[in-house]
Amino acid sequence: MAWNTNLRWRLPVICLLLQVALVVLFGVFVRYDLDADPHWIEKKMSGNVSSDLDNEFYYRYPSFQDVHVMIFVGFGFLMTFLQRYGYSAVGFNFLLAAFGIQWALLMQGWFHSFDGRYILLGVENLINADFCVGSVCVAFGAVLGKVSPVQLLIMTLFQVTLFSVNEFILLSLLEVKDAGGSMTIHTFGAYFGLTVTWILYRPNLYQSKDRQSSVYHSDLFAMIGTLFLWMYWPSFNSAVSNHGDAQHRAAINTYCSLAACVLSAVALSSILHKKGKLDMVHIQNATLAGGVAVGTAAEMMLMPYGSLIVGFICGIISTLGFVYLTPFLESRLRIQDTCGIHNLHGIPGIIGGIVGAVTAASANTELYGQEGLAFAFGSSTPSWNASTQGKFQAAGLFVSLAMALVGGIIVGVILKLPFWGQAADENCFEDAIYWEMPKDQKSIVFRSEDPALKASEP
Amino acid sequence: MAWNTNLRWRLPVICLLLQVALVVLFGVFVRYDLDADPHWIEKKMSGNVSSDLDNEFYYRYPSFQDVHVMIFVGFGFLMTFLQRYGYSAVGFNFLLAAFGIQWALLMQGWFHSFDGRYILLGVENLINADFCVGSVCVAFGAVLGKVSPVQLLIMTLFQVTLFSVNEFILLSLLEVKDAGGSMTIHTFGAYFGLTVTWILYRPNLYQSKDRQSSVYHSDLFAMIGTLFLWMYWPSFNSAVSNHGDAQHRAAINTYCSLAACVLSAVALSSILHKKGKLDMVHIQNATLAGGVAVGTAAEMMLMPYGSLIVGFICGIISTLGFVYLTPFLESRLRIQDTCGIHNLHGIPGIIGGIVGAVTAASANTELYGQEGLAFAFGSSTPSWNASTQGKFQAAGLFVSLAMALVGGIIVGVILKLPFWGQAADENCFEDAIYWEMPKDQKSIVFRSEDPALKASEP
Amino acid sequence: MAWNTNLRWRLPVICLLLQVALVVLFGVFVRYDLDADPHWIEKKMSGNVSSDLDNEFYYRYPSFQDVHVMIFVGFGFLMTFLQRYGYSAVGFNFLLAAFGIQWALLMQGWFHSFDGRYILLGVENLINADFCVGSVCVAFGAVLGKVSPVQLLIMTLFQVTLFSVNEFILLSLLEVKDAGGSMTIHTFGAYFGLTVTWILYRPNLYQSKDRQSSVYHSDLFAMIGTLFLWMYWPSFNSAVSNHGDAQHRAAINTYCSLAACVLSAVALSSILHKKGKLDMVHIQNATLAGGVAVGTAAEMMLMPYGSLIVGFICGIISTLGFVYLTPFLESRLRIQDTCGIHNLHGIPGIIGGIVGAVTAASANTELYGQEGLAFAFGSSTPSWNASTQGKFQAAGLFVSLAMALVGGIIVGVILKLPFWGQAADENCFEDAIYWEMPKDQKSIVFRSEDPALKASEP
């Protein structure tokens, strides 16, 4: 099957339309939050603010920048591991994230920062928009190499919308805690992406298998992504936690979980190879599972040893997933998961949701103190009790899964339409379809290895 | 024409001389600011400081580090896109910036932090020195591949000096606002660099055209630069803004502008290619134009939608510039602009100056509040009014352009002298001239492709 | 000599054992510090805390993240310069650091954060754990390419232990100041690593010399490491300094020292090449020596010009070391120092210790003020005087050297045992021994260049 992959009008039109729509909606709906408005000085002078530093900016901005790096460099470079898909990995991730954050500012703004007339923007909105786009980056991992940028923009449009609805249900209706987004970001993003790639199943993808692997330097580029994700994950999980001890604790727990995860991922990678050799795929991905899995509970009293246990187990499960589950999903369930997001975000996300539910259900005044419990969980409400919180947490996990599956099916069907510029099965994982290539790739690798592709170009 | 490119004495002598001079000048002139001096504790105990956090360090240091990354990794790697000029791009940028920040601490210190006897250093000086060097990095983009490190050090020496004079005229005499440096950094840096490269015109540069393009992995290295610039630009534009809402607002506006810019740059890149393919040059560069163009107005009440509009327009103009203007400049005006800085810093810088002037001229008490306006613009001075501020802003733009052109001509003429170790026209864009090369490059690419170069070596 | 390099059981078993032991020890010993505990809110409500921002988290977290990047990306990528050892450089560094930080939290915790029953964790512990692991990363540089991951884990286990003992002696018994770790991190790490590599001397290492060099892109990857180390070093040296002016001053001094160091390293690199060409090895390494050498004195009144002088001298000495000392160490003293850590951490570390001793000995109330001196050095103790402090500083340097030598011999002897999976002399600096390789490396470089290696595989 040969689709037309020339994007000359389709991509520009959709980009410009979306951006113009965003400008109009921002014009109608978006203003600055008081902490970012010149009238803040009046609040300050009225004596409610002890110092300039009490501006929310100073609590959140360093974490925001770390999260920002994770979304653009972390996810972008993590996906450059394919030998001939580096431009697309980093470039399309850049495009979809740049669109997604704007749309997320609106969608999340209507749900959470709307004062009746305007959405009021502050640094916390920027972080949440990055979070929301994080779930799209996760889903991108599943379809990597098999979709056009037009499809990615459409997927982003829908996924951000669904994410915001799901997040609203969890955080506002169910009053679930999910600071690092094990459920809202990772579980939702992963199962959404897996459903989409299931609908988009390509029976002849084996024709592109030659390119679905790394070369030496592409693996090193991917390690840039891995390491920035790994290093900044403590900021990710603590970025929107309550000021003070909660943010502090979330960072410590995530640090611990990720460290443990590295050792168990390395151990399993070696044990599963017949000569005991390590596999870069595991080092690039399974080492991060610990960050996903403490997303919900990081700000709670998970305890440092609890974090180590979670990280330890997830490193094992994630590596096992890469070796056994991903091939199984592809051959039996027709789910082609390019980056193995099921192992990095799917299962660890579910584990994270469960760990969060159990940890929340174990909350008590001995651990948190009277005031501490009230601050962390709003336990001063008479109706609150820990086991109910735990049940709602669990419910949140199921809602996220359900939203992901239903949403993924709908979006998958839309993306299956034949006019979005997607590549033929034999031309997947190939930058040259959508990018002007430098000479070295055109003349050497491309022409000699892949004559089929040449022919399919318009 | 074959110049002697052996730097054995020239480069060491100039490096050592400059550094010894800096040591002496620092010894005579530079001390610590009160916030970095052990006597700060006395200020604290006298009750004027409510908390240790009221040290300026905590307001500015995270932003400083982000700016630091932009200068060294951002600009350095952005210029590694050339296939055989990666060492020089990142290495010479490192050299000139390391020298430039020291010289800028002195020059800017004399103008802005001199207490009559000493220049007093604090974290804000470090940021401003990085900013000043940012303008040299911009200019480096124009002459990339065509000048020797000796020439770069000389250019840096002069450009930092001129920058500081220009900045003093703008900020202190004209009382212009330019927190993110659309005028002082980008416009000045770009037109200075373009003038220098115009003076240094190389009629036979076509002999090096083979190397004036990328290879696959060099483009990925360049994306590291692009993304770190893009991600940290909100810190750049907010780093020296007033504490509180101004810093907060500058970050939000820059975030918005840059996001919009990505979509319009991608749209134009595709539309301008006959098969709709994307060009890495545009993705690497034009996506950043939005950050340049809100440099002046980011801390003002530009509004989120205003930022989107500015970013949107600059993404379009910048991409058009790469496709149509850069070839025109080279063929008709004899301006060889290696990195296309005219499209990324030149035009967007001018737009940024104009946007700043218009936004300042629109300032009023309704938008800012009485106190807010006084704090943002010093409007409590009886003589102040918004339209005057706008006119002075516009004047600042012209002053920057004039300084750049005049300064660029003088420096260009100095750099044209034949004994600075510059390469011959057929040896441009080539690391091997100034660097000891690893075996793979020497034996494979270098010898076979470029026999001319071999001969020209001493 | 052909050892068995199959790690299938050895590596997994040691990873899992260590991690399980860590989980148990954390369970028994580790809890949260008050600033990371939900009871913090009670402290806040009792009126001792003026603002949420007075949580230690906000003073230290941005610096922590910078240090974290230095350990994982900085050291990891710095060592990717070898043409076929990138996976191992970045991957083994990741592994040993992830293990090391956990073990360091315990070891340092027992010495410094033990309340009689529990080790109480806060952000400062995370920074100190990263610091401790920094010294292991330094030592890794000496043995790079010649040891197995099993050996690295064992080395980390012992080195972290010894580091913590040494640190306790210096900081708690001798009451030495060493905020940036010139002595505890760099001197100790370097001489420990050099002693280990001396014990592990490989007489036939010349058989692997072909691979002990860079290729073009591996040098660019290494520059990522260099630049992140260079840029974030001000955070490293200031991360655990006293709040306020000390942190501020440490950042300024480090910034100055590093800038000067770049110029002198470039100058020497050029002067020492017969055609005046620059050597990437010097740019990657010697430019960092200035950061090492102000590690102890950065928070003291070193003065900006003092920092420049230290950086200037260290850039020269370090580059000279790479050209003359490293070959001498290898040929005469049988010390094979892969990364030249003696030039980057060894000598500059000693210089840093001496500079610190001299600076401390020069402390007086005129420079610091009465209160400032008390705060910086605890001079309110009647027995304190500056020259004694200087002597203790010098003593600390000797203790660090002694611990490094004795510890290095013991650990070296343990690592010399033949069953740790180390590679044969002809297979050093080769990823393929321990990693599943992508096709491009297997078929092209590997098979053709290095038939010996093929044969030695099990």
Side-chain angles (χ1 to χ4, degrees):
Chain A
M1 189 166 26
W3 291 295
N4 179 358
T5 59
N6 185 326
L7 301 177
R8 184 150 189 201
W9 295 107
R10 282 171 285 189
L11 181 60
V13 165
I14 191 172
C15 283
L16 296 176
L17 273 184
L18 288 172
Q19 190 58 56
V20 169
L22 287 166
V23 167
V24 172
L25 289 168
F26 267 63
V28 176
F29 286 110
V30 181
R31 296 297 179 270
Y32 303 109
D33 168 339
L34 180 56
D35 279 27
D37 190 281
H39 293 85
W40 185 68
I41 201 174
E42 293 166 15
K43 176 178 166 200
K44 210 173 68 179
M45 293 171 84
S46 72
N48 291 325
V49 178
S50 67
S51 143
D52 284 351
L53 276 161
D54 254 328
N55 193 298
E56 190 70 11
F57 181 79
Y58 300 102
Y59 288 93
R60 307 278 183 206
Y61 190 73
S63 307
F64 157 66
Q65 275 295 5
D66 295 348
V67 172
H68 215 41
V69 171
M70 292 174 73
I71 300 300
F72 289 87
V73 159
F75 280 108
F77 273 91
L78 182 62
M79 295 188 274
T80 59
F81 73 100
L82 292 170
Q83 54 185 271
R84 289 181 57 71
Y85 209 63
Y87 289 8
S88 303
V90 80
F92 295 166
N93 185 70
F94 193 16
L95 173 64
L96 74 84
F99 163 61
I101 53 179
Q102 297 178 68
W103 179 228
L105 285 178
L106 286 167
M107 282 302 306
Q108 296 179 315
W110 282 315
F111 281 122
H112 298 291
S113 313
F114 196 61
D115 75 347
R117 189 165 163 211
Y118 290 126
I119 294 166
L120 301 181
L121 285 198
V123 64
E124 204 169 332
N125 300 67
L126 307 190
I127 297 173
N128 280 317
D130 272 23
F131 276 2
C132 173
V133 162
S135 91
V136 185
C137 298
V138 168
F140 180 30
V143 297
L144 186 76
K146 301 173 295 186
V147 294
S148 74
V150 173
Q151 287 175 302
L152 287 173
L153 286 171
I154 294 168
M155 185 176 91
T156 306
L157 178 69
F158 284 102
Q159 194 179 345
V160 166
T161 310
L162 289 164
F163 176 98
S164 305
V165 172
N166 185 51
E167 187 188 44
F168 176 73
I169 296 173
L170 266 68
L171 303 192
S172 300
L173 303 186
L174 300 176
E175 296 187 36
V176 154
K177 297 278 159 194
D178 194 19
S182 291
M183 297 181 279
T184 53
I185 301 168
H186 300 289
T187 305
F188 173 78
Y191 288 96
F192 181 91
L194 292 167
T195 311
V196 169
T197 198
W198 174 62
I199 303 274
L200 297 181
Y201 180 68
R202 287 169 174 270
N204 301 315
L205 191 61
Y206 65 88
Q207 295 173 343
S208 292
K209 279 288 166 194
D210 274 1
R211 284 185 305 269
Q212 200 185 350
S213 58
S214 65
V215 290
Y216 194 64
H217 282 165
S218 73
D219 268 330
L220 285 178
F221 280 113
M223 280 305 291
I224 297 173
T226 297
L227 288 175
F228 275 101
L229 286 169
W230 193 91
M231 296 179 304
Y232 285 156
W233 214 296
S235 299
F236 192 93
N237 284 348
S238 67
V240 295
S241 290
N242 283 335
H243 293 169
D245 63 277
Q247 246 186 312
H248 200 154
R249 192 164 54 247
I252 294 173
N253 286 334
T254 310
Y255 177 96
C256 289
S257 175
L258 284 164
C261 188
V262 174
L263 271 89
S264 56
V266 167
L268 267 281
S269 183
S270 175
I271 221 168
L272 294 171
H273 185 282
K274 64 182 191 301
K275 292 183 183 169
K277 294 190 181 183
L278 299 170
D279 188 327
M280 277 308 264
V281 171
H282 309 153
I283 308 306
Q284 282 159 9
N285 292 281
T287 52
L288 299 168
V292 173
V294 295
T296 304
E299 62 175 7
M300 303 177 190
M301 286 297 277
L302 180 59
M303 309 312 281
Y305 65 87
S307 309
L308 292 188
I309 293 171
V310 172
F312 181 71
I313 291 172
C314 283
I316 292 173
I317 292 179
S318 184
T319 312
L320 286 169
F322 277 99
V323 176
Y324 298 113
L325 203 53
T326 301
F328 173 83
L329 290 181
E330 174 149 4
S331 59
R332 299 302 168 85
L333 303 186
R334 302 162 65 104
I335 298 174
Q336 295 161 326
D337 177 6
T338 311
C339 293
I341 62 163
H342 189 238
N343 314 305
L344 171 47
H345 301 278
I347 309 177
I350 291 179
I351 293 174
I354 296 169
V355 169
V358 172
T359 314
S362 323
N364 58 51
T365 52
E366 196 189 333
L367 269 171
Y368 287 79
Q370 190 84 32
E371 298 295 337
L373 196 64
F375 188 54
F377 288 104
S379 65
S380 47
T381 328
S383 65
W384 189 89
N385 74 61
S387 90
T388 317
Q389 178 76 34
K391 284 174 200 150
F392 276 89
Q393 295 282 138
L397 184 58
F398 285 104
V399 172
S400 300
L401 279 167
M403 290 285 292
L405 295 174
V406 174
I409 289 173
I410 297 167
V411 174
V413 169
I414 295 170
L415 297 186
K416 218 176 162 64
L417 297 173
F419 44 76
W420 301 126
Q422 52 268 62
D425 287 2
E426 68 268 30
N427 292 339
C428 287
F429 314 118
E430 174 56 63
D431 276 337
I433 301 292
Y434 302 119
W435 296 83
E436 181 64 28
M437 297 298 280
K439 245 182 318 182
D440 67 321
Q441 293 292 309
K442 259 192 217 142
S443 56
I444 305 171
V445 181
F446 192 60
R447 213 177 287 160
S448 61
E449 277 193 1
D450 194 28
L453 183 57
K454 203 69 204 162
S456 81
E457 282 195 83
Chain B
M1 189 165 28
W3 292 295
N4 179 358
T5 60
N6 186 326
L7 301 178
R8 185 153 189 197
W9 295 107
R10 282 171 285 188
L11 181 60
V13 165
I14 190 172
C15 283
L16 296 176
L17 274 185
L18 288 173
Q19 191 57 55
V20 169
L22 287 165
V23 167
V24 172
L25 289 169
F26 267 63
V28 176
F29 286 111
V30 180
R31 296 297 179 270
Y32 303 110
D33 167 340
L34 180 55
D35 278 28
D37 189 280
H39 293 85
W40 185 67
I41 200 174
E42 294 166 14
K43 176 178 165 199
K44 210 173 67 180
M45 294 171 84
S46 73
N48 292 324
V49 178
S50 66
S51 144
D52 283 350
L53 276 161
D54 255 328
N55 194 298
E56 190 71 10
F57 181 78
Y58 301 102
Y59 287 92
R60 305 280 183 204
Y61 190 73
S63 308
F64 157 66
Q65 275 295 5
D66 295 349
V67 171
H68 216 40
V69 172
M70 291 173 73
I71 299 300
F72 289 88
V73 159
F75 280 108
F77 274 91
L78 181 63
M79 295 189 273
T80 58
F81 72 100
L82 291 170
Q83 54 185 270
R84 288 181 58 70
Y85 209 63
Y87 289 8
S88 303
V90 81
F92 294 165
N93 185 70
F94 193 15
L95 173 64
L96 74 84
F99 163 61
I101 53 179
Q102 297 178 69
W103 180 228
L105 286 178
L106 287 166
M107 282 303 305
Q108 295 179 315
W110 282 315
F111 281 122
H112 299 291
S113 314
F114 196 60
D115 76 347
R117 187 164 164 212
Y118 291 126
I119 294 166
L120 301 181
L121 284 198
V123 64
E124 205 169 333
N125 299 67
L126 307 189
I127 298 173
N128 280 317
D130 273 22
F131 276 2
C132 173
V133 162
S135 92
V136 185
C137 298
V138 167
F140 180 29
V143 296
L144 186 76
K146 300 172 296 187
V147 294
S148 74
V150 173
Q151 287 175 301
L152 287 172
L153 287 172
I154 294 168
M155 185 177 91
T156 306
L157 178 69
F158 285 102
Q159 194 179 346
V160 166
T161 310
L162 290 165
F163 176 98
S164 306
V165 172
N166 185 51
E167 186 188 45
F168 175 73
I169 296 173
L170 266 67
L171 304 191
S172 301
L173 303 186
L174 300 177
E175 296 188 37
V176 154
K177 297 278 159 192
D178 194 19
S182 292
M183 297 181 279
T184 54
I185 301 169
H186 300 290
T187 305
F188 173 77
Y191 289 96
F192 181 91
L194 291 168
T195 311
V196 169
T197 198
W198 174 63
I199 302 274
L200 297 181
Y201 180 69
R202 287 170 174 272
N204 301 315
L205 192 60
Y206 65 87
Q207 295 174 343
S208 292
K209 279 288 166 195
D210 274 0
R211 284 186 305 270
Q212 200 187 350
S213 58
S214 64
V215 291
Y216 193 63
H217 282 165
S218 72
D219 267 329
L220 284 177
F221 280 113
M223 281 304 292
I224 297 173
T226 298
L227 287 175
F228 275 101
L229 287 169
W230 194 90
M231 295 179 305
Y232 285 156
W233 215 296
S235 299
F236 192 93
N237 283 349
S238 66
V240 296
S241 290
N242 283 335
H243 292 170
D245 62 277
Q247 244 186 312
H248 200 155
R249 191 163 55 247
I252 294 172
N253 286 335
T254 311
Y255 178 96
C256 289
S257 175
L258 283 164
C261 188
V262 174
L263 272 88
S264 56
V266 167
L268 267 281
S269 183
S270 174
I271 222 167
L272 294 171
H273 185 283
K274 63 182 192 302
K275 292 183 183 168
K277 293 190 182 184
L278 299 170
D279 188 326
M280 277 308 264
V281 171
H282 308 152
I283 307 305
Q284 283 158 9
N285 293 280
T287 52
L288 299 168
V292 173
V294 295
T296 304
E299 61 175 9
M300 303 178 190
M301 287 296 277
L302 180 58
M303 309 311 280
Y305 65 87
S307 309
L308 292 188
I309 293 171
V310 172
F312 181 71
I313 291 172
C314 283
I316 292 173
I317 292 179
S318 184
T319 313
L320 287 170
F322 277 99
V323 175
Y324 297 113
L325 202 53
T326 301
F328 174 83
L329 290 180
E330 174 149 6
S331 60
R332 299 301 169 85
L333 302 186
R334 303 163 63 104
I335 298 174
Q336 295 161 326
D337 176 7
T338 312
C339 293
I341 62 163
H342 189 237
N343 314 304
L344 169 48
H345 302 277
I347 309 177
I350 291 179
I351 293 175
I354 296 169
V355 169
V358 172
T359 314
S362 323
N364 58 51
T365 51
E366 197 189 333
L367 269 171
Y368 288 78
Q370 189 84 32
E371 297 294 340
L373 196 63
F375 187 54
F377 288 104
S379 65
S380 47
T381 329
S383 66
W384 189 89
N385 73 62
S387 91
T388 317
Q389 179 74 34
K391 283 174 201 151
F392 277 89
Q393 296 281 138
L397 184 58
F398 285 103
V399 172
S400 299
L401 280 167
M403 290 285 292
L405 295 173
V406 175
I409 289 173
I410 297 167
V411 174
V413 169
I414 294 170
L415 297 185
K416 219 176 162 64
L417 297 172
F419 44 76
W420 302 125
Q422 51 268 64
D425 288 1
E426 68 269 29
N427 292 338
C428 288
F429 315 117
E430 174 57 61
D431 276 337
I433 301 290
Y434 302 118
W435 297 84
E436 182 64 28
M437 297 299 280
K439 245 183 318 182
D440 67 323
Q441 294 291 311
K442 258 190 216 143
S443 56
I444 305 171
V445 182
F446 191 61
R447 213 177 287 159
S448 62
E449 277 193 1
D450 195 28
L453 183 56
K454 202 68 204 162
S456 81
E457 282 196 82
Chain C
M1 189 164 26
W3 292 295
N4 179 358
T5 59
N6 185 326
L7 300 177
R8 184 152 189 198
W9 294 107
R10 281 171 286 189
L11 181 59
V13 165
I14 191 171
C15 283
L16 296 176
L17 273 185
L18 288 173
Q19 191 57 55
V20 169
L22 287 166
V23 167
V24 173
L25 289 168
F26 268 63
V28 177
F29 286 111
V30 181
R31 296 296 178 271
Y32 303 110
D33 167 340
L34 180 56
D35 279 26
D37 189 281
H39 293 86
W40 185 67
I41 200 174
E42 294 167 13
K43 175 177 166 201
K44 209 173 69 179
M45 293 171 84
S46 73
N48 292 324
V49 179
S50 67
S51 144
D52 284 350
L53 276 160
D54 255 328
N55 194 299
E56 191 70 11
F57 182 78
Y58 300 103
Y59 288 93
R60 305 279 183 205
Y61 190 73
S63 307
F64 158 66
Q65 275 295 5
D66 295 348
V67 172
H68 216 40
V69 171
M70 291 174 73
I71 300 299
F72 289 87
V73 159
F75 281 107
F77 273 90
L78 181 63
M79 295 189 273
T80 58
F81 72 100
L82 291 171
Q83 54 185 271
R84 288 182 59 70
Y85 209 63
Y87 289 8
S88 303
V90 81
F92 295 165
N93 185 70
F94 193 15
L95 172 64
L96 74 84
F99 163 62
I101 53 179
Q102 297 178 68
W103 180 228
L105 286 178
L106 287 166
M107 282 302 305
Q108 295 179 315
W110 282 315
F111 281 121
H112 299 291
S113 312
F114 196 60
D115 75 348
R117 188 165 164 211
Y118 291 126
I119 294 165
L120 301 181
L121 285 198
V123 64
E124 203 168 333
N125 299 68
L126 307 190
I127 298 172
N128 280 318
D130 273 22
F131 276 3
C132 173
V133 162
S135 92
V136 186
C137 298
V138 168
F140 180 29
V143 297
L144 186 76
K146 300 172 296 186
V147 294
S148 75
V150 174
Q151 287 175 302
L152 287 173
L153 287 171
I154 294 167
M155 185 176 91
T156 305
L157 178 69
F158 284 102
Q159 194 180 346
V160 166
T161 310
L162 290 164
F163 176 97
S164 305
V165 172
N166 185 52
E167 186 188 45
F168 176 73
I169 297 172
L170 265 67
L171 304 192
S172 301
L173 303 186
L174 300 176
E175 296 187 35
V176 155
K177 298 279 159 192
D178 194 18
S182 292
M183 297 180 279
T184 54
I185 301 169
H186 300 289
T187 305
F188 173 77
Y191 288 96
F192 180 91
L194 291 167
T195 312
V196 169
T197 199
W198 174 62
I199 303 275
L200 297 181
Y201 180 68
R202 288 170 173 272
N204 301 315
L205 191 61
Y206 65 88
Q207 295 173 343
S208 292
K209 279 288 167 195
D210 275 359
R211 283 186 305 270
Q212 201 186 350
S213 59
S214 64
V215 291
Y216 194 63
H217 283 164
S218 72
D219 267 329
L220 284 178
F221 280 113
M223 282 304 292
I224 297 174
T226 298
L227 288 175
F228 276 101
L229 286 170
W230 194 91
M231 296 179 304
Y232 286 157
W233 215 298
S235 299
F236 192 93
N237 284 348
S238 66
V240 295
S241 291
N242 283 334
H243 293 169
D245 62 277
Q247 246 185 311
H248 200 154
R249 191 164 54 247
I252 294 172
N253 285 334
T254 310
Y255 177 96
C256 289
S257 174
L258 284 164
C261 188
V262 174
L263 272 88
S264 56
V266 166
L268 267 282
S269 183
S270 174
I271 222 168
L272 294 172
H273 185 283
K274 62 184 192 301
K275 292 183 183 169
K277 293 189 182 185
L278 300 170
D279 188 326
M280 276 309 263
V281 171
H282 309 152
I283 308 305
Q284 283 158 9
N285 292 281
T287 52
L288 299 168
V292 174
V294 294
T296 303
E299 62 175 7
M300 303 178 191
M301 287 297 277
L302 181 58
M303 309 311 281
Y305 66 87
S307 310
L308 291 188
I309 293 171
V310 173
F312 181 71
I313 291 172
C314 283
I316 292 173
I317 292 179
S318 185
T319 312
L320 286 170
F322 277 99
V323 176
Y324 297 113
L325 203 53
T326 301
F328 174 83
L329 291 181
E330 175 150 3
S331 60
R332 298 300 169 86
L333 303 185
R334 302 163 64 104
I335 297 174
Q336 295 161 325
D337 177 7
T338 312
C339 293
I341 63 163
H342 189 238
N343 313 305
L344 171 47
H345 302 278
I347 309 176
I350 291 179
I351 293 174
I354 296 168
V355 169
V358 172
T359 314
S362 323
N364 58 50
T365 51
E366 195 188 335
L367 269 171
Y368 288 79
Q370 189 84 32
E371 297 294 338
L373 197 63
F375 187 55
F377 288 103
S379 64
S380 46
T381 328
S383 65
W384 189 89
N385 73 61
S387 90
T388 316
Q389 179 75 34
K391 285 174 199 150
F392 276 90
Q393 296 281 137
L397 184 58
F398 284 104
V399 172
S400 300
L401 279 167
M403 291 285 292
L405 295 173
V406 174
I409 289 173
I410 296 167
V411 174
V413 169
I414 294 170
L415 297 186
K416 217 174 162 66
L417 297 172
F419 44 77
W420 302 126
Q422 52 268 61
D425 287 2
E426 67 268 29
N427 292 339
C428 288
F429 315 117
E430 174 57 62
D431 276 337
I433 301 290
Y434 302 118
W435 296 85
E436 181 65 27
M437 297 298 280
K439 247 182 317 183
D440 68 322
Q441 294 290 311
K442 259 191 215 143
S443 56
I444 304 171
V445 182
F446 191 61
R447 213 177 285 160
S448 62
E449 277 195 0
D450 195 28
L453 182 56
K454 201 73 205 160
S456 80
E457 281 196 81

